[in-house]
Amino acid sequence: MRVALINPRFRLPIDTRTTPHLGLAYLGAISQRRGDEVRIFDMDVEDQPLGDFLKEFSPQLVGITANTPQVKQAWRTAAAIKQWKDIPIVLGGPHVSVAAENLDFESCERPDVDMVVRGEGEEGWIEVSDILDRCYQAKPDLTARELMDPRAGLWDKILGIAYKTSDRQLHRTLDRPAIADLDSLPWPAYDLFKMERYTNLQPATDAVDGSRSFSILTSRGCPYRCTFCSQSIMPIKWRARTPQNVIAEWRHLVEDLGAQEIGVLDDSANIRMQRLQDLADGLIENKLNHVPWIFVNGIRANLATKELMTKLKQAGLKRTAFGVETGDEEILASIDKRVDHDTIRQAFKVCKSAGLETIGFFIIGLPGETRETMQRTIDFACELDPLIANFSMMTPYPGTKVYEIVKRQGSMLVHDWEDYVFFDGKARYEMGEMTAELVETMWKKAYRQFYLRPHRVLKTITRKDFWINYRRTFRVAWRTIFPRKEKTELKRAIEAAV
Amino acid sequence: MTHVIVDTCIRDGACVEVCPVECIVAGKPEDQWPWFYIDPDTCIDCGACVPECPVEAIFPEEDVAEEFNAAIAINKAFFAEGPGYKANET
């Protein structure tokens, strides 16, 4: 069966880095293992028009991924495909997985979307593919309308999906349990991507864009339930690959694909510290520690011991991030982060003494914040003084506790999924005394106060990669100062003009 | 920091399923170790087990009520002196 996996174009108000979509890379791999002919069409880097791609490849099944700001692009892509031919179109990704807010049905209600696979997609995707393949073998020219005929009853046994039958009725099956054995999954299929077209995810070295940078997942999930985090839509059970399985893939990335840097994308890599110690030992023993790697999404500060971080440094770890979130004790307790500031201080100290670079993720505008609490966050960032401080505007994503709180007690300021981005300097909601103006002022102050300290300015301009990538650096700075207009803002302007 | 199971535990077992580090063990023999126990050296204090407990018998160590204080030492003793993880094998 011919299977196309599509990443719709991500329209963002600022320039960001592009990296192969790991979710599609896993789906591509599992479809290849099933025996399908697979193509990945990443509209972020593709220059071929979609219509030409469809005519050339003629897929029989299309999967489209979407996070919240991407979902409308996914619907537009689905519409363009259906104009070409009535083949089954399946959406997946975090946005459509929020069944509690009926966001699976929201997509299924679109005329051009046939089905949604919620949560971890691999097993559901293969079951859908198996059924379709059998149907196509019996009748190769079946249309989606025929496949979604309620009398056929093809889909009701597949867990974790929502779908629309041709009588326009919506259906939802029970949630699928999390994949227990991650070692059973194939490695991501990077051969399906035009790797030379991507930038590196988060430059860890002085290598210029286009360097061979790869991502890896050594575990999935997070047992913590921070109120702002979209991980809460995923199963609470944290699962890990064995160190042996991870090392085998790591060797493949380094030796077969020529990886120059590796980004570990786990949500909580250090839940079992012994596993990471074993992984580090394995990387050292197998002489894979010469390629620098980083924890892109952060690790738990309460589980970052000196022994562990020193061992990881020996294993090639160059940089790690921590989700610090806030400098205020009460706000920190209110977001269920289950960590305290002294523990965070200790984690940064341990990493710096081990010779590791650090990133701090901070949030401006959490529920209950005041000017004083936000100032404490900025001051705490300066005290920790990571190499990179990232200040995000609190964006209440559907499925999170903060989203529920804002819906109940505040007022959302964005009314278009495409504006749900958190790094663009625009407040997303107001609540109580926390006005948009205050949050936006403090967000700008955070960047100014942190990065315009004399020693920081000096540190930045003396970094080699700052000058190697100077064209991109200035382009990003320009877009950050002058972002593209958002959809909500454009709509208001059009309404005012009318 | 760790979580602690107190003596109102009814051996439901839902907590075991969600524990990401598999540090909750059913006490055996039951007459001697009548509850489930949390290994304080392995617990990462994530709290995943708390909402699963049907009788609210799991608490962060610092929040354990005075009447249940003995449970802190008993959880520890199950792993230090009692059968600990070996109970999973019987």
Side-chain angles (χ1 to χ4, degrees):
Chain A
M1 187 165 63
R2 291 183 305 281
V3 173
L5 295 163
I6 297 180
N7 183 37
R9 187 159 173 73
F10 209 156
R11 184 197 177 278
L12 288 172
I14 63 167
D15 283 334
T16 56
R17 311 193 70 80
T18 52
T19 185
H21 192 290
L22 200 53
L24 291 188
Y26 266 106
L27 285 185
I30 205 156
S31 284
Q32 281 180 328
R33 186 164 77 180
R34 212 193 71 83
D36 294 321
E37 188 185 343
V38 188
R39 294 269 187 94
I40 289 179
F41 192 76
D42 184 347
M43 295 168 85
D44 265 340
V45 299
E46 200 52 68
D47 47 21
Q48 185 183 26
L50 178 65
D52 290 356
F53 165 74
L54 295 170
K55 277 180 211 151
E56 178 201 313
F57 181 53
S58 194
Q60 295 165 289
L61 166 65
V62 172
I64 307 176
T65 183
N67 53 32
T68 298
Q70 243 181 336
V71 73
K72 288 177 73 177
Q73 282 287 45
W75 298 338
R76 288 181 202 118
T77 307
I81 296 166
K82 286 282 186 183
Q83 277 192 347
W84 167 72
K85 203 185 253 186
D86 185 23
I87 56 167
I89 296 182
V90 181
L91 258 60
H95 183 83
V96 298
S97 296
V98 189
E101 296 286 340
N102 283 324
L103 297 187
D104 50 351
F105 281 171
E106 175 199 47
S107 280
C108 282
E109 275 173 346
R110 309 297 301 183
D112 308 300
V113 176
D114 299 302
M115 190 182 290
V116 155
V117 175
R118 302 191 305 271
E120 280 181 316
E122 289 91 348
E123 291 180 343
W125 176 249
I126 286 303
E127 288 180 26
V128 169
S129 300
D130 285 343
I131 289 174
L132 276 177
D133 205 5
R134 278 202 301 276
C135 293
Y136 282 135
Q137 278 174 26
K139 192 179 173 209
D141 57 347
L142 274 173
T143 63
R145 189 175 172 76
E146 289 169 308
L147 289 159
M148 303 313 290
D149 188 323
R151 289 167 301 181
L154 291 171
W155 313 110
D156 56 348
K157 301 284 187 300
I158 300 182
L159 292 174
I161 64 168
Y163 58 97
K164 175 175 71 233
T165 39
S166 53
D167 56 359
R168 304 203 58 76
Q169 294 297 307
L170 300 180
H171 309 263
R172 177 186 290 142
T173 62
L174 294 173
D175 285 345
R176 176 179 290 277
I179 299 170
D181 179 11
L182 296 185
D183 284 3
S184 67
L185 294 173
W187 301 334
Y190 285 114
D191 57 303
L192 296 172
F193 291 88
K194 294 171 178 161
M195 288 304 294
E196 71 286 356
R197 297 192 181 186
Y198 295 91
T199 62
N200 42 9
L201 182 59
Q202 188 192 87
T205 65
D206 284 334
V208 293
D209 285 348
S211 73
R212 298 191 73 81
S213 166
F214 292 87
S215 305
I216 194 169
L217 266 182
T218 79
S219 67
R220 289 188 182 186
C222 179
Y224 295 87
R225 284 296 182 255
C226 303
T227 57
F228 56 85
C229 182
S230 57
Q231 250 308 311
S232 51
I233 64 172
M234 297 299 286
I236 200 162
K237 190 84 177 168
W238 177 87
R239 294 140 298 137
R241 297 166 61 189
T242 59
Q244 296 76 13
N245 184 269
V246 175
I247 286 163
E249 186 190 344
W250 208 293
R251 181 187 292 286
H252 167 65
L253 296 179
V254 172
E255 295 181 358
D256 302 335
L257 303 183
Q260 292 174 309
E261 55 184 66
I262 292 173
V264 176
L265 291 189
D266 299 26
D267 289 307
S268 287
N270 58 337
I271 293 300
R272 273 191 209 134
M273 288 189 281
Q274 188 56 51
R275 181 193 74 105
L276 267 193
Q277 294 262 12
D278 295 345
L279 176 59
D281 284 336
L283 291 174
I284 296 165
E285 279 164 26
N286 286 278
K287 299 189 171 46
L288 294 167
N289 54 340
H290 62 285
V291 174
W293 55 280
I294 55 181
F295 284 123
V296 178
N297 291 334
I299 57 172
R300 289 290 306 186
N302 56 319
L303 302 169
T305 60
K306 186 167 186 184
E307 188 191 5
L308 177 66
M309 300 318 292
T310 307
K311 174 67 77 175
L312 290 171
K313 166 75 180 168
Q314 290 164 8
L317 178 65
K318 183 180 173 79
R319 183 188 301 162
T320 186
F322 290 100
V324 180
E325 326 306 356
T326 172
D328 184 83
E329 286 290 351
E330 278 182 32
I331 297 287
L332 185 60
S334 76
I335 59 174
D336 286 347
K337 184 87 190 173
R338 293 182 177 272
V339 71
D340 58 47
H341 283 133
D342 282 342
T343 306
I344 294 171
R345 280 188 185 96
Q346 181 63 18
F348 275 81
K349 199 173 151 195
V350 157
C351 287
K352 286 181 183 178
S353 71
L356 293 166
E357 296 174 348
T358 51
I359 305 174
F361 293 131
F362 302 89
I363 303 175
I364 300 291
L366 283 158
E369 292 241 67
T370 62
R371 182 184 294 275
E372 289 71 33
T373 65
M374 290 185 262
Q375 184 58 51
R376 276 185 208 114
T377 299
I378 303 169
D379 293 341
F380 194 47
C382 293
E383 180 197 327
L384 296 174
D385 201 24
L387 174 73
I388 299 165
N390 187 299
F391 298 93
S392 298
M393 195 70 77
M394 179 61 230
T395 303
Y397 283 97
T400 63
K401 277 192 195 146
V402 170
Y403 186 78
E404 286 168 32
I405 293 168
V406 173
K407 273 208 315 190
R408 238 182 7 249
Q409 301 169 28
S411 70
M412 293 291 294
L413 299 176
V414 280
H415 305 289
D416 192 302
W417 291 133
E418 289 188 298
D419 292 342
Y420 274 68
V421 287
F422 50 76
F423 37 71
D424 156 37
K426 296 271 170 56
R428 301 310 185 196
Y429 72 99
E430 291 183 320
M431 209 171 95
E433 291 172 18
M434 195 172 64
T435 62
E437 191 187 357
L438 174 64
V439 175
E440 287 167 13
T441 302
M442 295 308 284
W443 181 79
K444 285 176 193 149
K445 185 168 190 243
Y447 274 106
R448 274 203 311 272
Q449 187 176 323
F450 185 87
Y451 282 105
L452 294 183
R453 292 172 295 158
H455 83 278
R456 291 299 311 201
V457 174
L458 193 66
K459 203 186 255 185
T460 306
I461 61 172
T462 51
R463 280 179 69 84
K464 197 174 157 194
D465 66 341
F466 176 82
W467 295 105
I468 290 175
N469 292 320
Y470 77 95
R471 281 177 202 280
R472 188 175 185 285
T473 306
F474 287 112
R475 199 171 64 237
V476 170
W478 177 264
R479 269 288 169 230
T480 305
I481 299 165
F482 301 107
R484 293 182 191 103
K485 279 204 185 315
E486 296 188 315
K487 284 297 174 75
T488 307
E489 208 177 324
L490 286 169
K491 273 184 197 158
R492 272 194 212 126
I494 292 165
E495 279 164 16
V498 171
Chain B
M1 292 196 291
T2 179
H3 275 56
V4 173
I5 298 180
V6 304
D7 62 8
T8 48
C9 170
I10 56 167
R11 297 179 71 94
D12 172 76
C15 52
V16 176
E17 296 300 313
V18 299
C19 178
V21 289
E22 291 161 10
C23 73
I24 305 177
V25 176
K28 283 178 200 161
E30 219 175 306
D31 54 344
Q32 208 177 331
W33 301 98
W35 330 323
F36 281 45
Y37 303 91
I38 293 178
D39 174 8
D41 292 334
T42 308
C43 174
I44 58 169
D45 225 24
C46 70
C49 51
V50 175
E52 300 301 317
C53 180
V55 293
E56 296 177 17
I58 310 176
F59 300 93
E61 185 176 349
E62 60 275 21
D63 294 344
V64 173
E66 214 177 317
E67 61 190 295
F68 297 126
N69 252 344
I72 298 171
I74 295 171
N75 274 253
K76 206 177 281 183
F78 177 75
F79 292 91
E81 299 145 28
Y85 291 101
K86 282 187 184 149
N88 282 335
E89 295 160 16
T90 54

